[in-house]
Amino acid sequence: MADRKPKLEPEPETTPPSSSHQHQEAAVTAYAVLYPMLSENFERIAHYLEQTTAPTRLNPRNSVEELARVPHEFLSECFKRVVHELKLTIVLQTYGLPGELEVEVKDYTLYCGLMGTAFLLFKSSQVTGNVHDLFLCSQIVKTCDAASLYTRDVTFLCGRAGVCALGAVAAHYCGNSQLSGYYLTQFHKIVVPEDYPDDLKLGRAGLLWACLFLNKHIGQDIVPYRYTARLVDEIIKNGRALGTKEICPLMFELYGEKCWGASHGLAGIMHVLMDMKLKPDELEDVKGTLKYMIRNRLPSGNYPISEVDRNDEFVSWCHGAPGIAITLVKAAKVFGDKEFLDAAMQAAEVVWERGLHKRVGICHGISGNAYVFLSLYQHTRDVQYLDMARRFTCSVLDRAPKDIPRGEMHGGDQPYSLFEGIGGLAYLLLDMVDPTQSKFPAYEL
């Protein structure tokens, strides 16, 4: 697979790009910053190649192929440099300069709002050891705390749980036990409405992921089993009510639609459940549900949006093969069943052939699709998947600075955000520094 070039196939968007002049200007500004960074790094890589016995010479016009051949140790340093500049731009555009007047928070969420900037800074602190990023992360969370205090939304991606969980973890790493305790107290005050859905982005699975995040970073019992067990029981009960034991044991609805994807559907819910302590019959239901999805995938190898909508146009984390592939890799680890790994590899083929579309972000863009290969690389240690991830990463770096100003590539209405904009690209670059430790944000633990 890795010796073939990925196709630059257009990808229909889950939401149409904004036509507003203001958003277009913001996108152009966001990506214009990549010009000098890439130019400087091209020069550094070219100089490196000139000092080695390697026969190749870097030509920025053919950067994807040539960058993919640069030793990873050197390329990762270039990724760090690009991330540093991107990170500064994102902080300035979403939060402003530290010490300025308090910003007005229009969107506090991790998905497309200010919490996404905080989560990027947290990731940067983990990868680079930069304590200033960690303290700034904590400062931004404080701003989002007030903005989210009375929200009805509870998930990690789009609700109060994301603020409290990241706030507690960042304060914990800062050594501020009092502040961490405050956020943990706030977390346990979260109430899940009875009519709440079960998906990752907006529902119970998204709250469960926040529990897992807290237990991973602070301690396994910081959110006790009795708390998570209630949520798991509710999800399983709802899934069985809509499922069919002999066909698909678990099924869920969101706004009347039985979705399959990572963000709103089966893949995301199964992904979180596989990290929980499940009873044997519950584990079998998760396994059976994933096998149902494999049996009923589209003829192309892609996966449909929902039970009814079998549109084959979407190849993204939120809808289609990418998010489901990452869940299947996890299923291969949990169940040790070769069928799941084979299906994940087949889904990766779809992403390789059709995953270079016109968005740059994590949710429905090239940056998110690259994580399919990183996930498979971690599980199999097959270097072809690392090479594929490098090529996707280099492709987005190569294309974004040129295509955004021409309107041929975009980051949605939130060009600096984590899940739709260059925040996702920055996050991917941080994960490419050490691909063995990469984790899709707010999905893989």
Side-chain angles (χ1 to χ4, degrees), residues 18-81:
S18 171
S19 59
S20 80
H21 183 64
Q22 182 180 5
H23 285 139
Q24 178 64 21
E25 284 185 344
V28 171
T29 300
Y31 290 93
V33 73
L34 289 173
Y35 277 117
M37 286 187 287
L38 292 179
S39 177
E40 178 184 351
N41 282 286
F42 282 144
E43 291 176 5
R44 293 181 71 245
I45 296 172
H47 177 72
Y48 167 82
L49 292 172
E50 288 172 0
Q51 302 302 313
T52 68
T53 58
T56 189
R57 293 293 182 269
L58 187 69
N59 174 9
R61 295 181 183 276
N62 190 29
S63 58
V64 176
E65 289 299 308
E66 297 192 18
L67 280 173
R69 293 198 294 269
V70 173
H72 190 80
E73 295 77 11
F74 190 84
L75 191 56
S76 67
E77 289 302 315
C78 296
F79 289 157
K80 285 182 185 178
R81 291 169 63 87

Side-chain angles (χ1 to χ4, degrees), residues 183-234:
Y183 283 119
L184 288 172
T185 300
Q186 290 295 309
F187 184 87
H188 287 292
K189 290 181 179 180
I190 294 173
V191 177
V192 182
E194 290 186 6
D195 61 345
Y196 225 61
D198 296 297
D199 65 301
L200 180 74
K201 185 178 178 183
L202 301 175
R204 291 181 181 86
L207 178 56
L208 268 180
W209 200 93
C211 299
L212 292 166
F213 181 76
L214 283 166
N215 284 344
K216 174 184 177 179
H217 288 283
I218 300 181
Q220 283 303 311
D221 294 323
I222 205 70
V223 181
Y225 171 73
R226 64 181 181 275
Y227 181 92
T228 58
R230 289 197 298 269
L231 291 170
V232 170
D233 288 346
E234 193 70 17

Side-chain angles (χ1 to χ4, degrees), residues 278-285:
L278 299 180
K279 301 167 189 172
D281 61 320
E282 294 171 341
L283 265 176
E284 284 302 310
D285 282 354

Side-chain angles (χ1 to χ4, degrees), residues 24 26-27 42 68-69 92 107 147 151 160 163-164 176 185 188 213 222 226 275 327 333 364 373 379 381 395 403 443:
Q24 178 64 21
F42 282 144
R69 293 198 294 269
L92 286 172
D107 183 347
T151 182
R160 182 70 175 157
V163 176
C164 297
N176 190 335
T185 300
H188 287 292
F213 181 76
I222 205 70
R226 64 181 181 275
D275 269 318
T327 294
K333 299 174 186 175
H364 29 265
F373 311 125
H379 184 63
R381 285 301 190 266
S395 291
D403 290 350
Y443 198 52

Side-chain angles (χ1 to χ4, degrees), residues 247-249 283-293 295:
I247 302 173
C248 182
L283 265 176
E284 284 302 310
D285 282 354
V286 170
K287 185 177 183 179
T289 299
L290 292 172
K291 292 204 171 191
Y292 167 80
M293 296 174 73
R295 290 194 305 269

Side-chain angles (χ1 to χ4, degrees), residues 53-222:
T53 58
T56 189
R57 293 293 182 269
L58 187 69
N59 174 9
R61 295 181 183 276
N62 190 29
S63 58
V64 176
E65 289 299 308
E66 297 192 18
L67 280 173
R69 293 198 294 269
V70 173
H72 190 80
E73 295 77 11
F74 190 84
L75 191 56
S76 67
E77 289 302 315
C78 296
F79 289 157
K80 285 182 185 178
R81 291 169 63 87
V82 175
V83 168
H84 179 70
E85 300 296 333
L86 278 177
K87 181 180 65 179
L88 292 176
T89 300
I90 292 165
V91 170
L92 286 172
Q93 294 296 330
T94 61
Y95 184 65
L97 291 170
E100 289 185 335
L101 294 176
E102 188 171 339
V103 296
E104 178 187 357
V105 181
K106 296 180 180 178
D107 183 347
Y108 72 85
T109 69
L110 190 139
Y111 182 79
C112 269
L114 189 54
M115 280 296 298
T117 301
F119 200 59
L120 174 63
L121 289 165
F122 176 71
K123 176 71 172 183
S124 177
S125 72
Q126 290 190 304
V127 173
T128 67
N130 188 332
V131 295
H132 298 293
D133 284 346
L134 185 61
F135 282 102
L136 183 54
C137 165
S138 188
Q139 183 176 329
I140 291 174
V141 174
K142 286 182 183 179
T143 302
C144 295
D145 178 38
S148 65
L149 197 56
Y150 302 107
T151 182
R152 187 175 182 268
D153 300 318
V154 305
T155 67
F156 191 84
L157 278 174
C158 292
R160 182 70 175 157
V163 176
C164 297
L166 182 56
V169 169
H172 171 74
Y173 283 117
C174 287
N176 190 335
S177 58
Q178 183 177 0
L179 183 59
S180 183
Y182 161 77
Y183 283 119
L184 288 172
T185 300
Q186 290 295 309
F187 184 87
H188 287 292
K189 290 181 179 180
I190 294 173
V191 177
V192 182
E194 290 186 6
D195 61 345
Y196 225 61
D198 296 297
D199 65 301
L200 180 74
K201 185 178 178 183
L202 301 175
R204 291 181 181 86
L207 178 56
L208 268 180
W209 200 93
C211 299
L212 292 166
F213 181 76
L214 283 166
N215 284 344
K216 174 184 177 179
H217 288 283
I218 300 181
Q220 283 303 311
D221 294 323
I222 205 70

Side-chain angles (χ1 to χ4, degrees), residues 247-296:
I247 302 173
C248 182
L250 303 172
M251 186 59 66
F252 303 87
E253 279 188 344
L254 181 67
Y255 306 131
E257 190 170 7
K258 297 174 181 177
C259 298
W260 278 37
S263 177
H264 289 306
L266 286 174
I269 298 170
M270 297 305 105
H271 195 98
V272 175
L273 286 177
M274 282 188 284
D275 269 318
M276 310 309 300
K277 295 178 181 178
L278 299 180
K279 301 167 189 172
D281 61 320
E282 294 171 341
L283 265 176
E284 284 302 310
D285 282 354
V286 170
K287 185 177 183 179
T289 299
L290 292 172
K291 292 204 171 191
Y292 167 80
M293 296 174 73
I294 294 171
R295 290 194 305 269
N296 290 277

